[in-house]
Amino acid sequence: NAGVTQTPKFQVLKTGQSMTLQCAQDMNHNSMYWYRQDPGMGLRLIYYSASEGTTDKGEVPNGYNVSRLNKREFSLRLESAAPSQTSVYFCASREGTTYLNTEAFFGQGTRLTVV
Amino acid sequence: GEDVEQSLFLSVREGDSSVINCTYTDSSSTYLYWYKQEPGAGLQLLTYIFSNMDMKQDQRLTVLLNKKDKHLSLRIADTQTGDSAIYFCAEISTGANNLFFGTGTRLTVIP
């Protein structure tokens, strides 16, 4: 049982390049999330998807787009990467549409550097 | 977003107790969580507490909640080197879709 799988694990981009971070979960969860983690700032929500076919902005959506391809997959796209997007990106999933007391499962993270 | 504050670093000696503190601002917080992040890994849920509780104990972990002061703490008894990690507190309010995370506290256990 793989849980939440993110690819790639590491990526270096040049400013202006585009890329898509992939996330897949095999737990049949409804909700999926993309966070970025920056030193001293905790995790900040970029986008989330409460269910297949829906997506909503989080705290820091600028510069990103997402696609909930199906129930399993939720991708994050950087159309024109900027150095400020250098970060560690985490995908998470959970059952249900609000956190309440059900556990969120996190992927291993993607370390992205934009030069 | 909501404000969730933690101190950034904590060092303790192996065998001592660790206390990691967190303050939050949202008075309508429903659940409060502690997550652990080991180096190079994602976050794992350690424990959570519902806002109408004062304390929750789970083996070596004790969570204390002071709702009046909006203060949450995680005590780890008999801290081991394997407890070295970053610990995040997080909170969610009823009807919200987002967990708000603190900055994380890096716990270093000295052998």
Side-chain angles (χ1 to χ4, degrees):
Chain A
N1 194 348
V4 179
T5 304
Q6 287 181 239
T7 54
K9 288 190 168 41
F10 301 95
Q11 183 72 49
V12 179
L13 287 179
K14 291 184 179 175
T15 298
Q17 285 186 315
S18 62
M19 80 161 293
T20 300
L21 281 63
Q22 307 286 354
C23 175
Q25 52 92 8
D26 61 4
M27 295 171 283
N28 203 37
H29 286 168
N30 286 314
S31 298
M32 296 185 74
Y33 304 79
W34 276 106
Y35 287 90
R36 59 178 288 174
Q37 181 182 17
D38 301 295
M41 300 190 75
L43 273 74
R44 293 179 293 168
L45 184 68
I46 306 171
Y47 271 93
Y48 66 95
S49 170
S51 60
E52 186 180 349
T54 69
T55 60
D56 285 286
K57 294 178 181 178
E59 301 168 72
V60 288
N62 291 344
Y64 304 96
N65 285 301
V66 289
S67 290
R68 184 74 183 267
L69 303 166
N70 46 55
K71 196 171 185 181
R72 286 189 67 245
E73 297 171 290
F74 188 39
S75 61
L76 178 72
R77 183 158 178 85
L78 286 71
E79 290 292 351
S80 179
S84 61
Q85 294 177 304
T86 294
S87 188
V88 181
Y89 292 84
F90 286 99
C91 177
S93 74
R94 65 179 290 278
E95 201 177 308
T97 56
T98 53
Y99 271 89
L100 298 185
N101 66 337
T102 63
E103 181 176 355
F105 292 84
F106 283 80
Q108 295 291 300
T110 297
R111 187 173 294 274
L112 175 67
T113 302
V114 183
V115 297
Chain B
E2 310 306 333
D3 230 356
V4 183
E5 302 280 342
Q6 297 178 243
S7 52
L8 291 179
F9 303 100
L10 176 66
S11 290
V12 298
R13 295 211 170 271
E14 191 174 15
D16 287 351
S17 292
S18 310
V19 179
I20 303 170
N21 294 303
C22 171
T23 57
Y24 60 97
T25 58
D26 185 3
S27 57
S28 63
S29 293
T30 306
Y31 283 93
L32 296 122
Y33 301 81
W34 284 104
Y35 279 84
K36 178 183 180 183
Q37 183 184 32
E38 295 185 358
L43 278 70
Q44 273 189 299
L45 180 66
L46 279 181
T47 187
Y48 66 90
I49 189 167
F50 187 46
S51 59
N52 69 352
M53 297 167 65
D54 298 324
M55 185 180 94
K56 182 177 180 183
Q57 188 146 4
D58 184 1
Q59 299 182 332
R60 292 190 298 122
L61 305 179
T62 303
V63 179
L64 293 177
L65 176 61
N66 181 330
K67 206 174 171 189
K68 175 175 164 288
D69 295 338
K70 299 192 187 73
H71 182 267
L72 180 74
S73 67
L74 173 71
R75 180 176 179 270
I76 306 173
D78 187 25
T79 313
Q80 303 297 306
T81 53
D83 295 325
S84 291
I86 301 176
Y87 291 80
F88 290 92
C89 69
E91 62 91 14
I92 190 166
S93 306
T94 304
N97 276 311
N98 187 18
L99 270 178
F100 287 97
F101 285 87
T103 51
T105 299
R106 184 180 294 274
L107 173 65
T108 302
V109 181
I110 304 162

